[in-house]
Amino acid sequence: MSQIILKKERDPSILILDFGSQYSELIARRIRETNVFSLVVSNYISIEEIKNINPKGIILSGGPNSVYEQNAPKCDKKIFNLEIPILGICYGMQLMVKELGGSVISATKRAEYGRAPINIDQESDLLSDVEDKSIMWMSHGDSINRLPDGFNKIAHTENTLHAAISNDLKKLFGVQFHPEVIHSEFGMTVIKNFVYKISCCAADWTTETYIEETIPRIREQVGNKKVLLALSGGVDSSTLAFLLNKAIGNQLTCMFIDQGFMRKGEPEFLMNFFDNKFHIKVEYINARERFIAKLKGITDPEQKRKIIGEEFIRVFEEESNRLGPFQYLAQGTLYPDVIESAGTNIDPKTGERIAVKIKSHHNVGGLPKDLQFKLVEPLRKLFKDEVRKVGSALGLPDEIIKRHPFPGPGLAIRILGEVNNEKLDCLRDADWIVRDEIKNAGLYNDIWQAFAVLLPVKTVGVMGDKRTYAWPIVLRCVSSEDGMTADWSKIPFKILERIANRIVNEVNSVNRVVYDITSKPPGTIEWE
Ligand code: XMP
């Protein structure tokens, strides 16, 4: 994994060498929370590249291996002589110890997982202001057996003799615990100590500096060329539209393809907001009939997604030809996508990334070969929470910034089985009530997603004196950090009751509401 550091782009103040830890991305986020720019790079980064970047501090991440394993990941040993402060976390500390002449043992007896109070043995810059006996989060099998020359033990736990170590002279530090996880009580203090006290970083990574630095860079990249942006109404593409509008004005064309699967009032809101209020020109493409026609008779979820994805490409291709030509495609790629797919598809001449795949939220397999754009991806160094801040600073309202995630295929994957206009209307009305009541109850921002699902079966009910035979609506509300795992929301009964009452009374063709109390796993958030 290697990062592309474009000319004139801001260099990270803290470089994180990734040894395969599930927490590397989290370390980067935590450091950015201190207003210091950090990037995750491969552990194989060369000394020349590091010198070129000239970071103020380096973090060696944790990792799943043991340092003595045959293929255990390493880094260039010369890193320890660069006179740049280094903090090794877990595996990163063990590797540093081994490379500098100490030793590590595979600690069946001393393995330690979960919370552990640390005992501070010695004053140090790294643990300054960390309370003695405070809880830190441990997750390790191996431990340090013998320290290299020049190192001191600065903290221990009941089961780990070397919970934190330091070589003050060389500014080399190590912790066996994970300061980046939220359960480590003084974890942020340790991170701040390393970032400010030890590495002397300035707190200069802010939303304002990001916008100030990015706008001229976009102008430089694009020149006087035309840029196309597929707007979805989500926070990423909306922020991108605002940023590009500020940078290149009417060289930008936004295109909103209305597949017919948006929620109630969303296409109108989007057009009104961008076009009328902010004068950001949006080409509205009404493709509703095309999409619904393609889904006729289709009941399989995967097939639905595939058809929607393919149709999206077709419409995109036709419309970009009609409105273009465009030299650049703007994409709301975020940093986590870049970490996962870094280094792919680079134009060898210019070093720019080339689109062979539209972002997965459009659910498309790839653009046709003859339709190649260069990419403008100014959000590619940002985490989602940073995008929200940028969007907010540029004037986007909470309605967009705090919008719940909404899948690319939209309501089509919340109607089980065949999709038709009658079911779409029904689901739109039910979904609107769910969101309205969740907002009225003040719960919207505490919930990851709250929505309705329509089941294509009919159940018996009674309304007035009449027997009804109509569809049930499933209510799905979940809490989650990132959508990878989720728990069903414990909504107060009174609110559930209100939602159910309103749906059966106000929505045609529905006579029953059920609440989904499945977590993920084993369930998924969406029903298809
Ligand atoms: P699941 O249903 O897999 O969803 O638990 C996890 C998160 O991803 C969203 N999701 C999608 N997002 N295109 C998207 O852009 C899709 O096809 C898609 N399917 C699911 C889902 O809403 C949840 O936030």
Side-chain angles (χ1 to χ4, degrees):
M1 185 172 41
S2 81
Q3 297 294 320
I4 329 140
I5 313 282
L6 284 177
K7 193 166 68 119
K8 277 195 179 171
E9 264 190 298
R10 172 186 280 256
D11 281 325
S13 302
I14 300 284
L15 208 53
I16 299 154
L17 268 58
D18 181 16
F19 291 92
S21 166
Q22 55 174 328
Y23 296 128
S24 300
E25 188 184 309
L26 187 59
I27 301 171
R29 277 174 52 193
R30 291 283 178 263
I31 292 171
R32 300 227 195 147
E33 280 168 26
T34 70
N35 294 117
V36 170
F37 187 48
S38 65
L39 285 180
V40 178
V41 294
S42 161
N43 57 306
Y44 293 115
I45 187 170
S46 69
I47 290 295
E48 287 66 39
E49 270 182 277
I50 297 180
K51 281 186 182 161
N52 213 2
I53 294 168
N54 194 22
K56 289 187 168 300
I58 295 174
I59 290 185
L60 310 180
S61 86
N65 299 77
S66 266
V67 284
Y68 294 115
E69 273 172 28
Q70 208 181 5
N71 293 322
K74 292 196 172 128
C75 59
D76 192 323
K77 243 173 117 166
K78 292 197 273 305
I79 199 170
F80 301 110
N81 296 325
L82 287 176
E83 296 185 4
I84 298 174
I86 295 179
L87 171 64
I89 297 178
C90 202
Y91 179 89
M93 164 169 89
Q94 294 163 5
L95 181 70
M96 176 165 70
V97 163
K98 179 190 154 245
E99 296 290 42
L100 295 178
S103 69
V104 174
I105 44 166
S106 142
T108 35
K109 212 173 102 207
R110 288 193 179 272
E112 196 170 26
Y113 297 94
R115 293 148 183 273
I118 63 157
N119 302 284
I120 296 179
D121 299 315
Q122 196 179 306
E123 261 188 33
S124 72
D125 282 347
L126 190 68
L127 301 184
S128 139
D129 297 326
V130 173
E131 263 180 31
D132 194 28
K133 310 272 187 292
S134 63
I135 299 292
M136 293 293 186
W137 190 259
M138 293 283 187
S139 173
H140 68 105
D142 295 355
S143 303
I144 287 162
N145 192 24
R146 183 168 43 82
L147 287 176
D149 288 346
F151 277 81
N152 290 313
K153 166 168 85 85
I154 54 176
H156 70 277
T157 66
E158 196 184 335
N159 286 321
T160 305
L161 186 59
H162 299 100
I165 60 172
S166 82
N167 179 336
D168 288 338
L169 199 66
K170 293 197 141 184
K171 294 204 174 189
L172 302 177
F173 301 85
V175 286
Q176 188 59 75
F177 53 84
H178 288 274
E180 68 277 17
V181 305
I182 201 132
H183 314 285
S184 289
E185 285 175 350
F186 285 81
M188 264 322 259
T189 310
V190 173
I191 286 176
K192 282 184 186 164
N193 286 341
F194 181 69
V195 164
Y196 296 136
K197 268 203 165 97
I198 297 167
S199 305
C200 304
C201 294
D204 59 0
W205 174 247
T206 63
T207 305
E208 290 68 32
T209 53
Y210 164 80
I211 295 173
E212 264 168 39
E213 290 171 13
T214 304
I215 284 179
R217 201 175 308 122
I218 295 172
R219 289 185 185 140
E220 185 194 36
Q221 185 192 356
V222 169
N224 57 4
K225 302 283 193 315
K226 284 177 71 180
V227 180
L228 177 63
L229 164 64
L231 195 62
S232 71
V235 62
D236 305 341
S237 67
S238 301
T239 301
L240 195 53
F242 266 51
L243 192 61
L244 287 169
N245 181 57
K246 206 164 172 176
I248 55 170
N250 57 17
Q251 280 167 256
L252 171 71
T253 302
C254 294
M255 174 158 89
F256 169 56
I257 298 175
D258 185 356
Q259 305 156 316
F261 308 138
M262 296 286 275
R263 290 171 288 195
K264 191 172 179 161
E266 267 185 340
E268 296 80 5
F269 169 77
L270 203 77
M271 292 306 293
N272 184 42
F273 179 75
F274 282 92
D275 224 312
N276 294 349
K277 194 159 170 209
F278 281 91
H279 309 294
I280 298 177
K281 181 133 188 58
V282 182
E283 295 287 340
Y284 173 79
I285 316 292
N286 185 344
R288 293 179 184 194
E289 291 304 320
R290 290 179 64 151
F291 278 89
I292 199 84
K294 287 276 173 193
L295 289 185
K296 197 164 167 44
I298 306 297
T299 54
D300 178 71
E302 278 313 303
Q303 221 186 334
K304 267 191 208 174
R305 280 171 193 266
K306 199 163 165 268
I307 289 172
I308 294 170
E310 284 170 0
E311 196 58 16
F312 185 91
I313 294 186
R314 237 161 260 144
V315 177
F316 182 87
E317 189 178 21
E318 284 170 26
E319 296 299 327
S320 60
N321 280 336
R322 182 175 69 83
L323 300 165
F326 296 96
Q327 289 76 30
Y328 283 91
L329 177 69
Q331 276 207 156
T333 313
L334 304 192
Y335 191 48
D337 309 327
V338 178
I339 298 185
E340 271 150 38
S341 63
T344 53
N345 311 316
I346 312 281
D347 182 334
K349 282 194 219 119
T350 63
E352 290 168 302
R353 297 211 317 142
I354 301 169
V356 290
K357 222 175 169 184
I358 295 188
K359 221 186 148 204
S360 60
H361 73 252
H362 293 305
N363 287 87
V364 295
L367 285 174
K369 289 247 170 336
D370 56 347
L371 194 75
Q372 285 223 335
F373 295 97
K374 288 177 178 177
L375 291 182
V376 189
E377 298 176 298
L379 309 179
R380 58 190 287 280
K381 294 280 167 72
L382 301 189
F383 289 109
K384 189 90 179 179
D385 49 326
E386 293 173 318
V387 174
R388 289 203 178 94
K389 284 186 194 154
V390 170
S392 230
L394 291 170
L396 281 170
D398 275 3
E399 202 159 349
I400 291 178
I401 299 287
K402 295 190 174 161
R403 197 179 88 136
H404 287 173
F406 187 60
L411 299 183
I413 57 162
R414 291 179 181 171
I415 292 171
L416 274 62
E418 186 178 2
V419 179
N420 62 29
N421 281 324
E422 188 195 358
K423 289 177 188 162
L424 278 167
D425 287 342
C426 171
L427 182 59
R428 247 181 222 121
D429 288 343
D431 181 75
W432 193 82
I433 292 170
V434 175
R435 285 183 298 132
D436 191 42
E437 288 300 332
I438 293 289
K439 281 180 190 163
N440 288 344
L443 295 175
Y444 189 82
N445 293 336
D446 299 331
I447 289 178
W448 172 262
Q449 269 170 298
F451 57 91
V453 175
L454 188 145
L455 300 187
V457 290
K458 290 199 171 176
T459 77
V460 174
V462 58
M463 273 180 147
D465 290 335
K466 275 203 193 130
R467 180 180 177 280
T468 59
Y469 193 47
W471 292 315
I473 283 285
V474 177
L475 187 57
R476 182 74 165 140
C477 302
V478 295
S479 58
S480 175
E481 285 284 315
D482 52 12
M484 302 298 285
T485 59
D487 197 7
W488 63 280
S489 304
K490 315 297 183 288
I491 307 241
F493 284 162
K494 258 176 107 161
I495 294 156
L496 289 176
E497 188 178 26
R498 268 188 71 80
I499 294 174
N501 273 339
R502 279 193 62 191
I503 291 177
V504 287
N505 284 314
E506 294 173 33
V507 182
N508 284 336
S509 325
V510 175
N511 64 353
R512 194 178 289 273
V513 175
V514 296
Y515 190 39
D516 181 354
I517 55 166
T518 321
S519 61
K520 172 185 179 176
T524 47
I525 296 175
E526 304 289 346
W527 270 52
E528 278 201 336

